[in-house]
Amino acid sequence: MSRRQKNTDGHRDSLRSALQAGRGGQAVRGMNAESEDRGMKEKVVVGMSGGVDSSVAAYLLKEQGYEVIGVTMELWREEGGCCGLSAAEDARRVAHALDIPFYVVNFREAFQKNVVDYFVAEYLRGRTPNPCIACNRYVKWEALLAR
């Protein structure tokens, strides 16, 4: 077994143990009755940051029988916080551990226009903008949902 496979199995086991401990070891199950009757799984796309919240959401949805697809938005080519490449790699590792399809979607233009340019313009006006609010509104919700 490769080192990567051991790490993946370890991440999957750790996540499963933590989630089961949090709900008394009981599995969460459920599907839309219409989909179940047709023998189809409902598809759901999870925006994955590589953090705990989105990783647990993807895991729980998969455990409930959904066909989960992980998506990370590429916002920035440089390293740094939620916008860096390491966050996308973290999300990719989680998706691999959960055995779900994973895609990185380029949102750099929307991020530059709606977050970076906005922040610089406001800062030069002597204001103290919050780039995360602009990102959440215009990139994570508006641009992602539009795609």
Side-chain angles (χ1 to χ4, degrees):
M1 182 181 307
S2 72
R3 181 176 174 201
R4 180 181 176 100
Q5 182 63 38
K6 286 179 187 175
N7 286 340
T8 298
D9 291 344
H11 290 295
R12 185 181 301 124
D13 293 342
S14 296
L15 183 58
R16 184 176 291 118
S17 296
L19 290 170
Q20 288 176 341
R23 59 175 187 239
Q26 298 176 11
V28 176
R29 300 276 178 222
M31 280 183 67
N32 176 305
E34 183 180 318
S35 295
E36 196 169 6
D37 289 343
R38 294 190 316 238
M40 298 171 52
K41 292 182 177 183
E42 284 188 79
K43 287 184 183 178
V44 67
V45 175
V46 176
M48 297 183 69
S49 65
V52 173
D53 294 344
S54 60
S55 299
V56 170
Y59 172 82
L60 290 174
L61 288 164
K62 184 174 178 180
E63 286 292 303
Q64 291 175 8
Y66 291 91
E67 180 182 341
V68 179
I69 300 166
V71 174
T72 293
M73 297 182 293
E74 180 183 342
L75 303 174
W76 200 251
R77 284 275 181 192
E78 307 298 322
E79 191 51 54
C82 66
C83 307
L85 295 176
S86 65
E89 285 307 311
D90 289 344
R92 184 181 311 280
R93 280 191 292 276
V94 170
H96 181 76
L98 295 175
D99 194 30
I100 62 172
F102 177 75
Y103 302 93
V104 177
V105 184
N106 183 340
F107 281 90
R108 290 188 317 236
E109 186 177 315
F111 185 74
Q112 180 69 42
K113 175 185 171 192
N114 294 299
V115 179
V116 176
D117 293 349
Y118 156 78
F119 179 85
V120 170
E122 291 297 297
Y123 191 78
L124 291 173
R125 290 186 182 105
R127 299 181 184 140
T128 54
N130 184 330
C132 295
I133 291 173
C135 185
N136 287 339
R137 179 175 179 189
Y138 297 111
V139 181
K140 291 181 180 176
W141 289 109
E142 193 173 290
L144 180 61
L145 288 175
R147 275 213 193 160

